[in-house]
Amino acid sequence: TRIVLRRDSGFMDFTRKYKVLIDGAEAGTIGNGGRFETEIEAGPHTLQLRIDWCSSNLLEFFAPEGSQLGLECGSSLRGRNIWKPSRLLDEAPEAWIWLRLAA
């Protein structure tokens, strides 16, 4: 099974790469506007992204045999939130990055 993760382009963290953690182990990095691809075994998995002490939500998913799974991520600091990074750090560091299955 192949997973394909796409990161949107954004102002926050644009010079930084996010660490890609699959089942808790670092599998690589993804840059601003970038793409990360890897093969995984079929079955249940978790995926999370990290940057310093901040992270994304922990995404749990099932990878069917021989499939391709699309995922998307980006910085949560958009719109009004761009002026509140310290609040996000204090209240929800696990929400610094958003992560979801692609539509």
Side-chain angles (χ1 to χ4, degrees):
T1 301
R2 174 170 287 281
I3 60 169
V4 179
L5 173 64
R6 288 186 174 86
R7 179 176 162 188
D8 72 350
S9 295
F11 175 72
M12 293 304 285
D13 306 330
F14 77 95
T15 62
R16 309 282 309 279
K17 292 184 178 182
Y18 297 157
K19 291 179 185 176
V20 179
L21 306 171
I22 300 174
D23 299 327
E26 188 173 337
T29 60
I30 186 168
N32 193 42
R35 178 180 169 125
F36 171 84
E37 291 186 46
T38 193
E39 293 286 331
I40 59 172
E41 292 184 20
H45 294 280
T46 62
L47 184 83
Q48 190 172 40
L49 305 173
R50 288 203 157 281
I51 183 171
D52 299 325
W53 57 88
C54 297
S55 67
S56 69
N57 51 300
L58 181 66
L59 182 66
E60 297 180 14
F61 63 95
F62 183 87
E65 182 73 39
S67 65
Q68 179 168 305
L69 195 60
L71 302 126
E72 304 170 324
C73 68
S75 173
S76 295
L77 294 173
R78 298 265 159 105
R80 294 180 303 199
N81 285 339
I82 200 165
W83 305 111
K84 302 175 186 175
S86 62
R87 183 175 144 238
L88 193 57
L89 274 174
D90 291 341
E91 295 176 12
E94 72 286 351
W96 188 270
I97 304 166
W98 57 265
L99 172 63
R100 64 182 176 227
L101 292 172

